[in-house]
PDB file of all heavy atoms in Angstrom:
ATOM      1  N   ASP A 228      -9.881   4.926  14.182  1.00  0.00           N
ATOM      2  CA  ASP A 228     -10.093   4.047  13.030  1.00  0.00           C
ATOM      3  C   ASP A 228     -11.568   4.072  12.647  1.00  0.00           C
ATOM      4  O   ASP A 228     -12.453   4.242  13.497  1.00  0.00           O
ATOM      5  CB  ASP A 228      -9.701   2.607  13.362  1.00  0.00           C
ATOM      6  CG  ASP A 228      -8.194   2.402  13.424  1.00  0.00           C
ATOM      7  OD1 ASP A 228      -7.453   3.276  12.936  1.00  0.00           O
ATOM      8  OD2 ASP A 228      -7.767   1.362  13.964  1.00  0.00           O
ATOM      9  N   VAL A 229     -11.848   3.891  11.371  1.00  0.00           N
ATOM     10  CA  VAL A 229     -13.232   3.847  10.903  1.00  0.00           C
ATOM     11  C   VAL A 229     -13.473   2.519  10.200  1.00  0.00           C
ATOM     12  O   VAL A 229     -12.713   2.111   9.321  1.00  0.00           O
ATOM     13  CB  VAL A 229     -13.575   5.038   9.974  1.00  0.00           C
ATOM     14  CG1 VAL A 229     -12.637   5.138   8.789  1.00  0.00           C
ATOM     15  CG2 VAL A 229     -15.025   4.972   9.504  1.00  0.00           C
ATOM     16  N   LEU A 230     -14.503   1.804  10.643  1.00  0.00           N
ATOM     17  CA  LEU A 230     -14.932   0.564  10.004  1.00  0.00           C
ATOM     18  C   LEU A 230     -16.061   0.887   9.030  1.00  0.00           C
ATOM     19  O   LEU A 230     -17.101   1.431   9.419  1.00  0.00           O
ATOM     20  CB  LEU A 230     -15.414  -0.444  11.049  1.00  0.00           C
ATOM     21  CG  LEU A 230     -14.353  -1.015  11.993  1.00  0.00           C
ATOM     22  CD1 LEU A 230     -15.006  -1.945  13.020  1.00  0.00           C
ATOM     23  CD2 LEU A 230     -13.272  -1.759  11.224  1.00  0.00           C
ATOM     24  N   VAL A 231     -15.857   0.573   7.759  1.00  0.00           N
ATOM     25  CA  VAL A 231     -16.852   0.820   6.719  1.00  0.00           C
ATOM     26  C   VAL A 231     -17.667  -0.457   6.550  1.00  0.00           C
ATOM     27  O   VAL A 231     -17.121  -1.514   6.207  1.00  0.00           O
ATOM     28  CB  VAL A 231     -16.181   1.218   5.400  1.00  0.00           C
ATOM     29  CG1 VAL A 231     -17.229   1.518   4.335  1.00  0.00           C
ATOM     30  CG2 VAL A 231     -15.270   2.427   5.611  1.00  0.00           C
ATOM     31  N   VAL A 232     -18.964  -0.385   6.824  1.00  0.00           N
ATOM     32  CA  VAL A 232     -19.804  -1.592   6.881  1.00  0.00           C
ATOM     33  C   VAL A 232     -20.913  -1.529   5.838  1.00  0.00           C
ATOM     34  O   VAL A 232     -21.450  -0.461   5.529  1.00  0.00           O
ATOM     35  CB  VAL A 232     -20.409  -1.781   8.290  1.00  0.00           C
ATOM     36  CG1 VAL A 232     -19.301  -1.975   9.319  1.00  0.00           C
ATOM     37  CG2 VAL A 232     -21.284  -0.603   8.690  1.00  0.00           C
ATOM     38  N   ASN A 233     -21.251  -2.699   5.312  1.00  0.00           N
ATOM     39  CA  ASN A 233     -22.314  -2.842   4.320  1.00  0.00           C
ATOM     40  C   ASN A 233     -23.621  -3.155   5.037  1.00  0.00           C
ATOM     41  O   ASN A 233     -23.727  -4.152   5.755  1.00  0.00           O
ATOM     42  CB  ASN A 233     -21.951  -3.963   3.339  1.00  0.00           C
ATOM     43  CG  ASN A 233     -22.937  -4.076   2.183  1.00  0.00           C
ATOM     44  OD1 ASN A 233     -23.899  -3.326   2.084  1.00  0.00           O
ATOM     45  ND2 ASN A 233     -22.691  -5.032   1.296  1.00  0.00           N
ATOM     46  N   THR A 234     -24.634  -2.327   4.827  1.00  0.00           N
ATOM     47  CA  THR A 234     -25.917  -2.489   5.512  1.00  0.00           C
ATOM     48  C   THR A 234     -26.949  -3.258   4.678  1.00  0.00           C
ATOM     49  O   THR A 234     -28.117  -3.325   5.049  1.00  0.00           O
ATOM     50  CB  THR A 234     -26.510  -1.125   5.887  1.00  0.00           C
ATOM     51  OG1 THR A 234     -26.751  -0.363   4.690  1.00  0.00           O
ATOM     52  CG2 THR A 234     -25.559  -0.354   6.798  1.00  0.00           C
ATOM     53  N   SER A 235     -26.534  -3.854   3.565  1.00  0.00           N
ATOM     54  CA  SER A 235     -27.479  -4.569   2.715  1.00  0.00           C
ATOM     55  C   SER A 235     -28.056  -5.790   3.444  1.00  0.00           C
ATOM     56  O   SER A 235     -27.338  -6.543   4.095  1.00  0.00           O
ATOM     57  CB  SER A 235     -26.790  -5.017   1.426  1.00  0.00           C
ATOM     58  OG  SER A 235     -27.693  -5.707   0.585  1.00  0.00           O
ATOM     59  N   MET A 236     -29.352  -5.967   3.309  1.00  0.00           N
ATOM     60  CA  MET A 236     -30.062  -7.077   3.939  1.00  0.00           C
ATOM     61  C   MET A 236     -30.037  -8.299   3.021  1.00  0.00           C
ATOM     62  O   MET A 236     -30.310  -8.197   1.824  1.00  0.00           O
ATOM     63  CB  MET A 236     -31.516  -6.676   4.210  1.00  0.00           C
ATOM     64  CG  MET A 236     -32.340  -7.730   4.918  1.00  0.00           C
ATOM     65  SD  MET A 236     -32.059  -7.749   6.697  1.00  0.00           S
ATOM     66  CE  MET A 236     -33.042  -6.304   7.195  1.00  0.00           C
ATOM     67  N   THR A 237     -29.701  -9.459   3.573  1.00  0.00           N
ATOM     68  CA  THR A 237     -29.718 -10.695   2.780  1.00  0.00           C
ATOM     69  C   THR A 237     -31.154 -11.127   2.505  1.00  0.00           C
ATOM     70  O   THR A 237     -31.986 -11.180   3.414  1.00  0.00           O
ATOM     71  CB  THR A 237     -28.980 -11.821   3.510  1.00  0.00           C
ATOM     72  OG1 THR A 237     -27.681 -11.357   3.877  1.00  0.00           O
ATOM     73  CG2 THR A 237     -28.851 -13.043   2.621  1.00  0.00           C
ATOM     74  N   LEU A 238     -31.440 -11.441   1.255  1.00  0.00           N
ATOM     75  CA  LEU A 238     -32.777 -11.863   0.846  1.00  0.00           C
ATOM     76  C   LEU A 238     -32.895 -13.390   0.855  1.00  0.00           C
ATOM     77  O   LEU A 238     -31.907 -14.091   0.634  1.00  0.00           O
ATOM     78  CB  LEU A 238     -33.083 -11.356  -0.568  1.00  0.00           C
ATOM     79  CG  LEU A 238     -33.053  -9.842  -0.780  1.00  0.00           C
ATOM     80  CD1 LEU A 238     -33.250  -9.529  -2.264  1.00  0.00           C
ATOM     81  CD2 LEU A 238     -34.110  -9.155   0.060  1.00  0.00           C
ATOM     82  N   PRO A 239     -34.099 -13.913   1.058  1.00  0.00           N
ATOM     83  CA  PRO A 239     -34.340 -15.346   0.850  1.00  0.00           C
ATOM     84  C   PRO A 239     -34.479 -15.596  -0.647  1.00  0.00           C
ATOM     85  O   PRO A 239     -35.582 -15.767  -1.172  1.00  0.00           O
ATOM     86  CB  PRO A 239     -35.639 -15.596   1.620  1.00  0.00           C
ATOM     87  CG  PRO A 239     -36.349 -14.276   1.597  1.00  0.00           C
ATOM     88  CD  PRO A 239     -35.294 -13.217   1.564  1.00  0.00           C
ATOM     89  N   ALA A 240     -33.348 -15.635  -1.356  1.00  0.00           N
ATOM     90  CA  ALA A 240     -33.330 -15.459  -2.812  1.00  0.00           C
ATOM     91  C   ALA A 240     -33.438 -16.746  -3.607  1.00  0.00           C
ATOM     92  O   ALA A 240     -33.380 -16.709  -4.838  1.00  0.00           O
ATOM     93  CB  ALA A 240     -32.052 -14.718  -3.215  1.00  0.00           C
ATOM     94  N   ALA A 241     -33.593 -17.901  -2.951  1.00  0.00           N
ATOM     95  CA  ALA A 241     -33.739 -19.175  -3.665  1.00  0.00           C
ATOM     96  C   ALA A 241     -35.199 -19.621  -3.623  1.00  0.00           C
ATOM     97  O   ALA A 241     -35.798 -19.726  -2.550  1.00  0.00           O
ATOM     98  CB  ALA A 241     -32.845 -20.239  -3.044  1.00  0.00           C
ATOM     99  N   VAL A 242     -35.766 -19.884  -4.799  1.00  0.00           N
ATOM    100  CA  VAL A 242     -37.180 -20.276  -4.911  1.00  0.00           C
ATOM    101  C   VAL A 242     -37.280 -21.479  -5.840  1.00  0.00           C
ATOM    102  O   VAL A 242     -36.656 -21.517  -6.909  1.00  0.00           O
ATOM    103  CB  VAL A 242     -38.034 -19.109  -5.457  1.00  0.00           C
ATOM    104  CG1 VAL A 242     -39.487 -19.537  -5.629  1.00  0.00           C
ATOM    105  CG2 VAL A 242     -37.942 -17.889  -4.548  1.00  0.00           C
ATOM    106  N   ASN A 243     -38.082 -22.464  -5.452  1.00  0.00           N
ATOM    107  CA  ASN A 243     -38.301 -23.629  -6.317  1.00  0.00           C
ATOM    108  C   ASN A 243     -39.125 -23.237  -7.536  1.00  0.00           C
ATOM    109  O   ASN A 243     -40.001 -22.358  -7.476  1.00  0.00           O
ATOM    110  CB  ASN A 243     -39.022 -24.738  -5.560  1.00  0.00           C
ATOM    111  CG  ASN A 243     -38.166 -25.345  -4.467  1.00  0.00           C
ATOM    112  OD1 ASN A 243     -36.930 -25.319  -4.548  1.00  0.00           O
ATOM    113  ND2 ASN A 243     -38.804 -25.903  -3.451  1.00  0.00           N
ATOM    114  N   GLY A 244     -38.867 -23.907  -8.661  1.00  0.00           N
ATOM    115  CA  GLY A 244     -39.628 -23.659  -9.876  1.00  0.00           C
ATOM    116  C   GLY A 244     -39.604 -24.866 -10.795  1.00  0.00           C
ATOM    117  O   GLY A 244     -38.987 -25.892 -10.489  1.00  0.00           O
ATOM    118  N   ARG A 245     -40.269 -24.716 -11.932  1.00  0.00           N
ATOM    119  CA  ARG A 245     -40.285 -25.772 -12.946  1.00  0.00           C
ATOM    120  C   ARG A 245     -40.190 -25.143 -14.336  1.00  0.00           C
ATOM    121  O   ARG A 245     -40.814 -24.120 -14.617  1.00  0.00           O
ATOM    122  CB  ARG A 245     -41.569 -26.611 -12.865  1.00  0.00           C
ATOM    123  CG  ARG A 245     -41.590 -27.610 -11.712  1.00  0.00           C
ATOM    124  CD  ARG A 245     -42.817 -28.509 -11.753  1.00  0.00           C
ATOM    125  NE  ARG A 245     -42.790 -29.524 -10.710  1.00  0.00           N
ATOM    126  CZ  ARG A 245     -42.219 -30.718 -10.837  1.00  0.00           C
ATOM    127  NH1 ARG A 245     -41.669 -31.068 -11.998  1.00  0.00           N
ATOM    128  NH2 ARG A 245     -42.221 -31.575  -9.830  1.00  0.00           N
ATOM    129  N   VAL A 246     -39.391 -25.793 -15.186  1.00  0.00           N
ATOM    130  CA  VAL A 246     -39.345 -25.455 -16.609  1.00  0.00           C
ATOM    131  C   VAL A 246     -39.887 -26.673 -17.341  1.00  0.00           C
ATOM    132  O   VAL A 246     -39.198 -27.698 -17.466  1.00  0.00           O
ATOM    133  CB  VAL A 246     -37.909 -25.135 -17.063  1.00  0.00           C
ATOM    134  CG1 VAL A 246     -37.890 -24.808 -18.558  1.00  0.00           C
ATOM    135  CG2 VAL A 246     -37.330 -23.987 -16.264  1.00  0.00           C
ATOM    136  N   GLY A 247     -41.141 -26.587 -17.778  1.00  0.00           N
ATOM    137  CA  GLY A 247     -41.805 -27.769 -18.297  1.00  0.00           C
ATOM    138  C   GLY A 247     -41.944 -28.779 -17.169  1.00  0.00           C
ATOM    139  O   GLY A 247     -42.440 -28.472 -16.084  1.00  0.00           O
ATOM    140  N   GLY A 248     -41.419 -29.991 -17.368  1.00  0.00           N
ATOM    141  CA  GLY A 248     -41.471 -31.001 -16.321  1.00  0.00           C
ATOM    142  C   GLY A 248     -40.209 -31.060 -15.475  1.00  0.00           C
ATOM    143  O   GLY A 248     -40.102 -31.911 -14.586  1.00  0.00           O
ATOM    144  N   GLU A 249     -39.255 -30.166 -15.737  1.00  0.00           N
ATOM    145  CA  GLU A 249     -37.971 -30.184 -15.029  1.00  0.00           C
ATOM    146  C   GLU A 249     -38.033 -29.312 -13.778  1.00  0.00           C
ATOM    147  O   GLU A 249     -38.424 -28.145 -13.834  1.00  0.00           O
ATOM    148  CB  GLU A 249     -36.860 -29.670 -15.952  1.00  0.00           C
ATOM    149  CG  GLU A 249     -35.496 -29.607 -15.287  1.00  0.00           C
ATOM    150  CD  GLU A 249     -34.480 -28.842 -16.119  1.00  0.00           C
ATOM    151  OE1 GLU A 249     -34.866 -28.279 -17.171  1.00  0.00           O
ATOM    152  OE2 GLU A 249     -33.301 -28.773 -15.710  1.00  0.00           O
ATOM    153  N   ARG A 250     -37.624 -29.886 -12.661  1.00  0.00           N
ATOM    154  CA  ARG A 250     -37.515 -29.091 -11.439  1.00  0.00           C
ATOM    155  C   ARG A 250     -36.235 -28.267 -11.464  1.00  0.00           C
ATOM    156  O   ARG A 250     -35.169 -28.767 -11.840  1.00  0.00           O
ATOM    157  CB  ARG A 250     -37.524 -30.001 -10.202  1.00  0.00           C
ATOM    158  CG  ARG A 250     -38.827 -30.711  -9.964  1.00  0.00           C
ATOM    159  CD  ARG A 250     -38.865 -31.398  -8.592  1.00  0.00           C
ATOM    160  NE  ARG A 250     -37.735 -32.307  -8.413  1.00  0.00           N
ATOM    161  CZ  ARG A 250     -36.821 -32.189  -7.456  1.00  0.00           C
ATOM    162  NH1 ARG A 250     -36.875 -31.184  -6.588  1.00  0.00           N
ATOM    163  NH2 ARG A 250     -35.832 -33.068  -7.356  1.00  0.00           N
ATOM    164  N   VAL A 251     -36.345 -27.008 -11.052  1.00  0.00           N
ATOM    165  CA  VAL A 251     -35.191 -26.112 -10.969  1.00  0.00           C
ATOM    166  C   VAL A 251     -35.291 -25.320  -9.677  1.00  0.00           C
ATOM    167  O   VAL A 251     -36.344 -25.277  -9.020  1.00  0.00           O
ATOM    168  CB  VAL A 251     -35.121 -25.135 -12.176  1.00  0.00           C
ATOM    169  CG1 VAL A 251     -34.949 -25.882 -13.489  1.00  0.00           C
ATOM    170  CG2 VAL A 251     -36.355 -24.231 -12.211  1.00  0.00           C
ATOM    171  N   VAL A 252     -34.183 -24.714  -9.292  1.00  0.00           N
ATOM    172  CA  VAL A 252     -34.171 -23.733  -8.217  1.00  0.00           C
ATOM    173  C   VAL A 252     -33.741 -22.407  -8.834  1.00  0.00           C
ATOM    174  O   VAL A 252     -32.697 -22.339  -9.502  1.00  0.00           O
ATOM    175  CB  VAL A 252     -33.219 -24.135  -7.080  1.00  0.00           C
ATOM    176  CG1 VAL A 252     -33.159 -23.041  -6.022  1.00  0.00           C
ATOM    177  CG2 VAL A 252     -33.658 -25.449  -6.454  1.00  0.00           C
ATOM    178  N   VAL A 253     -34.544 -21.370  -8.642  1.00  0.00           N
ATOM    179  CA  VAL A 253     -34.254 -20.050  -9.183  1.00  0.00           C
ATOM    180  C   VAL A 253     -33.528 -19.242  -8.120  1.00  0.00           C
ATOM    181  O   VAL A 253     -34.035 -19.074  -7.004  1.00  0.00           O
ATOM    182  CB  VAL A 253     -35.542 -19.330  -9.613  1.00  0.00           C
ATOM    183  CG1 VAL A 253     -35.205 -17.976 -10.240  1.00  0.00           C
ATOM    184  CG2 VAL A 253     -36.351 -20.189 -10.578  1.00  0.00           C
ATOM    185  N   HIS A 254     -32.337 -18.757  -8.459  1.00  0.00           N
ATOM    186  CA  HIS A 254     -31.625 -17.819  -7.598  1.00  0.00           C
ATOM    187  C   HIS A 254     -31.845 -16.412  -8.144  1.00  0.00           C
ATOM    188  O   HIS A 254     -31.391 -16.100  -9.248  1.00  0.00           O
ATOM    189  CB  HIS A 254     -30.127 -18.146  -7.563  1.00  0.00           C
ATOM    190  CG  HIS A 254     -29.790 -19.377  -6.779  1.00  0.00           C
ATOM    191  ND1 HIS A 254     -28.505 -19.868  -6.660  1.00  0.00           N
ATOM    192  CD2 HIS A 254     -30.581 -20.219  -6.061  1.00  0.00           C
ATOM    193  CE1 HIS A 254     -28.508 -20.945  -5.895  1.00  0.00           C
ATOM    194  NE2 HIS A 254     -29.763 -21.183  -5.526  1.00  0.00           N
ATOM    195  N   PHE A 255     -32.565 -15.594  -7.396  1.00  0.00           N
ATOM    196  CA  PHE A 255     -32.804 -14.204  -7.787  1.00  0.00           C
ATOM    197  C   PHE A 255     -31.561 -13.395  -7.411  1.00  0.00           C
ATOM    198  O   PHE A 255     -31.222 -13.266  -6.240  1.00  0.00           O
ATOM    199  CB  PHE A 255     -34.043 -13.657  -7.084  1.00  0.00           C
ATOM    200  CG  PHE A 255     -35.338 -14.173  -7.655  1.00  0.00           C
ATOM    201  CD1 PHE A 255     -35.818 -15.419  -7.303  1.00  0.00           C
ATOM    202  CD2 PHE A 255     -36.052 -13.403  -8.553  1.00  0.00           C
ATOM    203  CE1 PHE A 255     -37.008 -15.901  -7.829  1.00  0.00           C
ATOM    204  CE2 PHE A 255     -37.255 -13.872  -9.091  1.00  0.00           C
ATOM    205  CZ  PHE A 255     -37.730 -15.130  -8.731  1.00  0.00           C
ATOM    206  N   SER A 256     -30.891 -12.820  -8.424  1.00  0.00           N
ATOM    207  CA  SER A 256     -29.590 -12.201  -8.203  1.00  0.00           C
ATOM    208  C   SER A 256     -29.666 -10.686  -8.036  1.00  0.00           C
ATOM    209  O   SER A 256     -29.234 -10.158  -7.023  1.00  0.00           O
ATOM    210  CB  SER A 256     -28.647 -12.537  -9.359  1.00  0.00           C
ATOM    211  OG  SER A 256     -27.374 -11.935  -9.195  1.00  0.00           O
ATOM    212  N   THR A 257     -30.190 -10.003  -9.023  1.00  0.00           N
ATOM    213  CA  THR A 257     -30.100  -8.539  -9.059  1.00  0.00           C
ATOM    214  C   THR A 257     -31.341  -7.965  -9.699  1.00  0.00           C
ATOM    215  O   THR A 257     -31.780  -8.451 -10.754  1.00  0.00           O
ATOM    216  CB  THR A 257     -28.868  -8.098  -9.880  1.00  0.00           C
ATOM    217  OG1 THR A 257     -27.690  -8.716  -9.351  1.00  0.00           O
ATOM    218  CG2 THR A 257     -28.690  -6.584  -9.843  1.00  0.00           C
ATOM    219  N   ARG A 258     -31.908  -6.928  -9.085  1.00  0.00           N
ATOM    220  CA  ARG A 258     -33.064  -6.247  -9.670  1.00  0.00           C
ATOM    221  C   ARG A 258     -32.590  -5.096 -10.549  1.00  0.00           C
ATOM    222  O   ARG A 258     -31.830  -4.241 -10.124  1.00  0.00           O
ATOM    223  CB  ARG A 258     -33.986  -5.698  -8.578  1.00  0.00           C
ATOM    224  CG  ARG A 258     -35.251  -5.022  -9.127  1.00  0.00           C
ATOM    225  CD  ARG A 258     -36.102  -4.459  -8.003  1.00  0.00           C
ATOM    226  NE  ARG A 258     -35.429  -3.413  -7.263  1.00  0.00           N
ATOM    227  CZ  ARG A 258     -35.351  -2.133  -7.659  1.00  0.00           C
ATOM    228  NH1 ARG A 258     -35.903  -1.755  -8.798  1.00  0.00           N
ATOM    229  NH2 ARG A 258     -34.738  -1.246  -6.910  1.00  0.00           N
ATOM    230  N   GLY A 259     -33.018  -5.109 -11.804  1.00  0.00           N
ATOM    231  CA  GLY A 259     -32.683  -4.028 -12.713  1.00  0.00           C
ATOM    232  C   GLY A 259     -33.624  -2.859 -12.572  1.00  0.00           C
ATOM    233  O   GLY A 259     -34.737  -2.985 -12.039  1.00  0.00           O
ATOM    234  N   ALA A 260     -33.189  -1.703 -13.059  1.00  0.00           N
ATOM    235  CA  ALA A 260     -34.023  -0.503 -12.960  1.00  0.00           C
ATOM    236  C   ALA A 260     -35.275  -0.599 -13.815  1.00  0.00           C
ATOM    237  O   ALA A 260     -36.238   0.130 -13.589  1.00  0.00           O
ATOM    238  CB  ALA A 260     -33.204   0.732 -13.356  1.00  0.00           C
ATOM    239  N   ASP A 261     -35.280  -1.492 -14.813  1.00  0.00           N
ATOM    240  CA  ASP A 261     -36.457  -1.649 -15.681  1.00  0.00           C
ATOM    241  C   ASP A 261     -37.455  -2.649 -15.130  1.00  0.00           C
ATOM    242  O   ASP A 261     -38.428  -2.992 -15.796  1.00  0.00           O
ATOM    243  CB  ASP A 261     -36.013  -2.061 -17.094  1.00  0.00           C
ATOM    244  CG  ASP A 261     -35.266  -3.391 -17.126  1.00  0.00           C
ATOM    245  OD1 ASP A 261     -35.087  -3.994 -16.042  1.00  0.00           O
ATOM    246  OD2 ASP A 261     -34.847  -3.815 -18.214  1.00  0.00           O
ATOM    247  N   GLY A 262     -37.218  -3.151 -13.919  1.00  0.00           N
ATOM    248  CA  GLY A 262     -38.147  -4.078 -13.300  1.00  0.00           C
ATOM    249  C   GLY A 262     -37.806  -5.537 -13.504  1.00  0.00           C
ATOM    250  O   GLY A 262     -38.367  -6.406 -12.830  1.00  0.00           O
ATOM    251  N   ARG A 263     -36.912  -5.827 -14.439  1.00  0.00           N
ATOM    252  CA  ARG A 263     -36.496  -7.204 -14.632  1.00  0.00           C
ATOM    253  C   ARG A 263     -35.515  -7.618 -13.531  1.00  0.00           C
ATOM    254  O   ARG A 263     -34.939  -6.793 -12.845  1.00  0.00           O
ATOM    255  CB  ARG A 263     -35.843  -7.381 -16.008  1.00  0.00           C
ATOM    256  CG  ARG A 263     -36.772  -7.102 -17.175  1.00  0.00           C
ATOM    257  CD  ARG A 263     -36.120  -7.474 -18.506  1.00  0.00           C
ATOM    258  NE  ARG A 263     -34.892  -6.732 -18.767  1.00  0.00           N
ATOM    259  CZ  ARG A 263     -34.084  -6.946 -19.807  1.00  0.00           C
ATOM    260  NH1 ARG A 263     -34.386  -7.903 -20.686  1.00  0.00           N
ATOM    261  NH2 ARG A 263     -33.003  -6.225 -19.989  1.00  0.00           N
ATOM    262  N   TRP A 264     -35.329  -8.926 -13.405  1.00  0.00           N
ATOM    263  CA  TRP A 264     -34.357  -9.466 -12.458  1.00  0.00           C
ATOM    264  C   TRP A 264     -33.360 -10.342 -13.205  1.00  0.00           C
ATOM    265  O   TRP A 264     -33.727 -11.082 -14.126  1.00  0.00           O
ATOM    266  CB  TRP A 264     -35.042 -10.312 -11.383  1.00  0.00           C
ATOM    267  CG  TRP A 264     -35.617  -9.499 -10.256  1.00  0.00           C
ATOM    268  CD1 TRP A 264     -36.737  -8.713 -10.306  1.00  0.00           C
ATOM    269  CD2 TRP A 264     -35.112  -9.405  -8.929  1.00  0.00           C
ATOM    270  NE1 TRP A 264     -36.951  -8.123  -9.089  1.00  0.00           N
ATOM    271  CE2 TRP A 264     -35.970  -8.540  -8.211  1.00  0.00           C
ATOM    272  CE3 TRP A 264     -34.030  -9.972  -8.263  1.00  0.00           C
ATOM    273  CZ2 TRP A 264     -35.768  -8.226  -6.872  1.00  0.00           C
ATOM    274  CZ3 TRP A 264     -33.818  -9.667  -6.918  1.00  0.00           C
ATOM    275  CH2 TRP A 264     -34.689  -8.793  -6.240  1.00  0.00           C
ATOM    276  N   ALA A 265     -32.114 -10.262 -12.803  1.00  0.00           N
ATOM    277  CA  ALA A 265     -31.122 -11.230 -13.246  1.00  0.00           C
ATOM    278  C   ALA A 265     -31.288 -12.475 -12.379  1.00  0.00           C
ATOM    279  O   ALA A 265     -31.297 -12.387 -11.151  1.00  0.00           O
ATOM    280  CB  ALA A 265     -29.713 -10.665 -13.102  1.00  0.00           C
ATOM    281  N   VAL A 266     -31.442 -13.624 -13.019  1.00  0.00           N
ATOM    282  CA  VAL A 266     -31.683 -14.866 -12.288  1.00  0.00           C
ATOM    283  C   VAL A 266     -30.732 -15.947 -12.789  1.00  0.00           C
ATOM    284  O   VAL A 266     -30.237 -15.907 -13.919  1.00  0.00           O
ATOM    285  CB  VAL A 266     -33.148 -15.356 -12.439  1.00  0.00           C
ATOM    286  CG1 VAL A 266     -34.120 -14.307 -11.919  1.00  0.00           C
ATOM    287  CG2 VAL A 266     -33.464 -15.717 -13.882  1.00  0.00           C
ATOM    288  N   GLU A 267     -30.486 -16.913 -11.925  1.00  0.00           N
ATOM    289  CA  GLU A 267     -29.726 -18.101 -12.291  1.00  0.00           C
ATOM    290  C   GLU A 267     -30.601 -19.318 -12.010  1.00  0.00           C
ATOM    291  O   GLU A 267     -31.160 -19.440 -10.916  1.00  0.00           O
ATOM    292  CB  GLU A 267     -28.435 -18.205 -11.483  1.00  0.00           C
ATOM    293  CG  GLU A 267     -27.614 -19.458 -11.808  1.00  0.00           C
ATOM    294  CD  GLU A 267     -26.403 -19.641 -10.913  1.00  0.00           C
ATOM    295  OE1 GLU A 267     -26.392 -19.075  -9.799  1.00  0.00           O
ATOM    296  OE2 GLU A 267     -25.471 -20.352 -11.323  1.00  0.00           O
ATOM    297  N   LEU A 268     -30.703 -20.202 -12.983  1.00  0.00           N
ATOM    298  CA  LEU A 268     -31.418 -21.457 -12.777  1.00  0.00           C
ATOM    299  C   LEU A 268     -30.416 -22.528 -12.369  1.00  0.00           C
ATOM    300  O   LEU A 268     -29.388 -22.714 -13.023  1.00  0.00           O
ATOM    301  CB  LEU A 268     -32.144 -21.894 -14.054  1.00  0.00           C
ATOM    302  CG  LEU A 268     -33.177 -20.924 -14.632  1.00  0.00           C
ATOM    303  CD1 LEU A 268     -33.951 -21.594 -15.760  1.00  0.00           C
ATOM    304  CD2 LEU A 268     -34.119 -20.406 -13.562  1.00  0.00           C
ATOM    305  N   ARG A 269     -30.721 -23.236 -11.267  1.00  0.00           N
ATOM    306  CA  ARG A 269     -29.846 -24.276 -10.748  1.00  0.00           C
ATOM    307  C   ARG A 269     -30.596 -25.605 -10.728  1.00  0.00           C
ATOM    308  O   ARG A 269     -31.830 -25.646 -10.633  1.00  0.00           O
ATOM    309  CB  ARG A 269     -29.401 -23.936  -9.325  1.00  0.00           C
ATOM    310  CG  ARG A 269     -28.723 -22.588  -9.169  1.00  0.00           C
ATOM    311  CD  ARG A 269     -27.270 -22.639  -9.474  1.00  0.00           C
ATOM    312  NE  ARG A 269     -26.524 -23.476  -8.520  1.00  0.00           N
ATOM    313  CZ  ARG A 269     -25.200 -23.647  -8.601  1.00  0.00           C
ATOM    314  NH1 ARG A 269     -24.503 -23.081  -9.571  1.00  0.00           N
ATOM    315  NH2 ARG A 269     -24.589 -24.398  -7.695  1.00  0.00           N
ATOM    316  N   ALA A 270     -29.841 -26.695 -10.789  1.00  0.00           N
ATOM    317  CA  ALA A 270     -30.426 -28.032 -10.763  1.00  0.00           C
ATOM    318  C   ALA A 270     -30.414 -28.578  -9.343  1.00  0.00           C
ATOM    319  O   ALA A 270     -29.358 -28.607  -8.707  1.00  0.00           O
ATOM    320  CB  ALA A 270     -29.633 -28.954 -11.682  1.00  0.00           C
TER     321      ALA A 270
END
Side-chain angles (χ1 to χ4, degrees):
D228 286 345
V229 56
L230 292 177
V231 182
V232 298
N233 186 0
T234 62
S235 180
M236 182 81 77
T237 307
L238 300 175
V242 178
N243 292 334
R245 284 186 176 272
V246 179
E249 178 192 5
R250 293 190 305 120
V251 298
V252 176
V253 183
H254 287 178
F255 285 81
S256 179
T257 305
R258 182 182 63 81
D261 61 0
R263 297 188 300 175
W264 278 73
V266 301
E267 179 186 22
L268 301 189
R269 304 275 295 181

